Amino acid sequence: MADQWGTLERGDGNGTTGVGATAAGATRRIAIELFTGLIDSADVLTDAVCAQIVAGEQAYGARSLLPYEVLHGIVGENIAALARALVDGTATLDAPRRAGQVKAEHGIPMASLLHAYRLAGLQIWEVLVTRSVAGQSFEALLLVSGEVWGMIDTFSNAAAEAYRAVVDAQDRRNQQARSLLLLSVLDGSATAVDAGRALRALGLPEHGTFLLVAAELSATGADSLPGLSQTLRAAGIASAWTTLQGDQIGLLGLAAAGGMAIVQSTLASAATTRVGVSRPFTVVGEAPDALRQARMAVGCVLPGGAGAHSYGTAPLDLLLVAQPGYAAELQEAVLGGLLAAPDRDVLLQTLEEWFAADGSTALTGRRLHCHRNTVLYRLARITELTGRMPSRPAEAAELHAALRATRLAGR
């Protein structure tokens, strides 16, 4: 774009000189005369374009948040800058960027912003055509029509980029404000009155049943619960989300009956990391304790896994997660010898399947694709290494608790 006039003046770029270069130079001079005329009539063009914008766009009507004098100033600045860019063959984009910024700040839709540039382009083109026909230079205008519309596109694209930058910044500020409101509820610092205001601002019901959800952030940066907020909203469940200490935290408001079942099934299908869910609560002041519950429930999902766990549905796992120091001592005291054995993985899997099969060696063998005698041999090996027989209830309880502690520790 910056070298368009140089190309016309030199020729076609392939060594053409003489008559071709002379014709190109003539086209350049005629085009500059036409474009210079735009600068001279910028005020008239501005009035005409503003009239079309106001008449054709509801966003700029009588109740518009953008005052007419601001609109007129933006349009005039852009028409003048566009005319100068066409004369110079290079664009300075301060004017369209300012237009995109101002219109975004005043809440004018993006579509209206771009439509205004189309209206301005058509008005400019109409003036150029009228003057070129009157001056018998229409063919010269056609030769540079691509540059004219290309420059208009350059301006509208710059305005759109500036608009998006403002909207993105506004979204970030809004999200930060929402996060602060939600955090005041989660940490219990909000009074009952302030908590009610926060719930209203977050789009959550002030009364009803609430749930706290905690999801581990993905190591890759991917969304831990992709599409969850939209899915819940479609089901009539409001939610507000923030990030806190390595977890994605959500407060859910269940205004309708059956909300619990919807949340559980939705979380189960959406989770890409470990997710914990608190017990339902009806007093928003209980949110801090619910957050603790949700985070403990996260620990009840095996490390490296993905899925949702509701607080209290596995009491033994919850106890082990709540007391990690004692859980580690339990592992060492009960399974210490086994964990050091070279066949530890096979023995742990056998013990796990044996418990899942309710102590049936035949079913355990089928689950492990081995003979029941192999299962009996491994159980005897477990007894040898731990000093505990899986067939004795008290000793089996210790083995089972130690096994769960081992799995929850990621071993």
Side-chain angles (χ1 to χ4, degrees):
M1 181 68 72
D3 197 39
Q4 60 175 296
W5 299 128
T7 301
L8 284 172
E9 193 169 35
R10 289 191 300 270
D12 62 7
N14 294 313
T16 301
T17 59
V19 176
T22 301
T27 298
R28 176 183 183 277
R29 287 190 296 273
I30 293 170
I32 288 180
E33 289 178 5
L34 290 170
F35 298 152
T36 302
L38 293 177
I39 297 176
D40 296 337
S41 58
D43 290 342
V44 175
L45 276 169
T46 298
D47 290 340
V49 171
C50 286
Q52 289 188 26
I53 290 174
V54 172
E57 280 286 347
Q58 186 177 359
Y60 299 95
R63 300 180 64 184
S64 172
L65 297 176
L66 182 67
Y68 179 80
E69 57 271 19
V70 176
L71 172 64
H72 192 276
I74 289 173
V75 172
E77 183 182 19
N78 274 263
I79 287 178
L82 181 58
R84 286 193 297 271
L86 289 171
V87 171
D88 297 339
T90 184
T92 300
L93 301 177
D94 291 342
R97 287 169 180 156
R98 190 156 34 251
Q101 177 183 346
V102 170
K103 292 190 178 184
E105 290 172 347
H106 284 78
I108 300 298
M110 170 77 86
S112 297
L113 167 71
L114 298 178
H115 188 221
Y117 274 96
R118 286 193 293 272
L119 290 175
L122 290 171
Q123 185 70 30
I124 288 171
W125 182 250
E126 182 179 339
V127 170
L128 289 173
V129 169
T130 300
R131 291 179 178 177
S132 66
V133 170
Q136 298 183 340
S137 55
F138 182 63
E139 290 185 3
L141 177 61
L142 289 180
L143 289 174
V144 297
S145 61
E147 284 74 16
V148 173
W149 289 105
M151 191 67 76
I152 292 170
D153 283 345
T154 297
F155 269 54
S156 64
N157 288 338
E161 289 177 5
Y163 185 103
R164 283 190 287 267
V166 171
V167 171
D168 289 346
Q170 290 173 340
D171 287 345
R172 286 192 294 271
R173 288 194 296 270
N174 291 339
Q175 184 58 45
Q176 289 169 356
R178 288 174 60 85
S179 293
L180 290 174
L181 286 173
L182 181 55
L183 289 173
S184 71
V185 174
L186 297 179
D187 63 18
S189 62
T191 64
V193 173
D194 289 340
R197 291 172 180 165
L199 291 175
R200 290 194 298 272
L202 293 168
L204 295 168
E206 291 186 65
H207 306 287
T209 302
F210 300 96
L211 286 175
L212 242 301
V213 176
E216 276 186 330
L217 293 180
S218 170
T220 64
D223 192 348
S224 303
L225 296 164
L228 178 66
S229 181
Q230 295 85 342
T231 303
L232 292 175
R233 189 183 305 115
I237 298 173
S239 63
W241 298 85
T242 189
T243 300
L244 180 64
Q245 299 174 350
D247 290 328
Q248 184 178 348
I249 306 296
L251 176 60
L252 281 57
L254 312 181
M260 279 293 300
I262 294 173
V263 170
Q264 290 171 347
S265 63
T266 303
L267 286 173
S269 60
T272 61
T273 61
R274 300 194 297 172
V275 178
V277 185
S278 73
R279 284 176 174 155
F281 59 102
T282 57
V283 179
V284 73
E286 297 175 0
D289 188 56
L291 176 59
R292 177 191 63 82
Q293 295 175 8
R295 282 184 153 159
M296 290 183 65
V298 169
C300 294
V301 181
L302 298 186
H309 181 87
S310 294
Y311 179 87
T313 56
L316 175 60
D317 287 1
L318 181 61
L319 180 64
L320 295 170
V321 170
Q323 298 291 339
Y326 292 143
E329 290 182 15
L330 178 65
Q331 290 180 60
E332 184 60 32
V334 176
L335 299 177
L338 188 154
L339 295 176
D343 53 349
R344 52 158 283 170
D345 291 339
V346 170
L347 296 178
L348 288 174
Q349 183 185 18
T350 299
L351 185 59
E352 200 164 40
E353 294 295 345
W354 188 80
F355 281 125
D358 296 326
S360 168
T361 54
L363 180 55
T364 301
R366 288 197 295 272
R367 294 168 71 105
L368 293 174
H369 307 289
C370 65
H371 195 276
R372 66 181 300 273
N373 288 342
T374 302
V375 175
L376 289 171
Y377 167 78
R378 293 176 183 174
L379 293 175
R381 173 93 170 124
I382 290 169
T383 300
E384 175 189 348
L385 292 171
T386 65
R388 291 165 176 82
M389 294 183 64
S391 58
R392 292 176 179 172
E395 295 177 5
E398 292 180 351
L399 287 170
H400 184 259
L403 175 62
R404 290 305 300 165
T406 301
R407 293 309 196 202
L408 291 171
R411 300 178 65 181

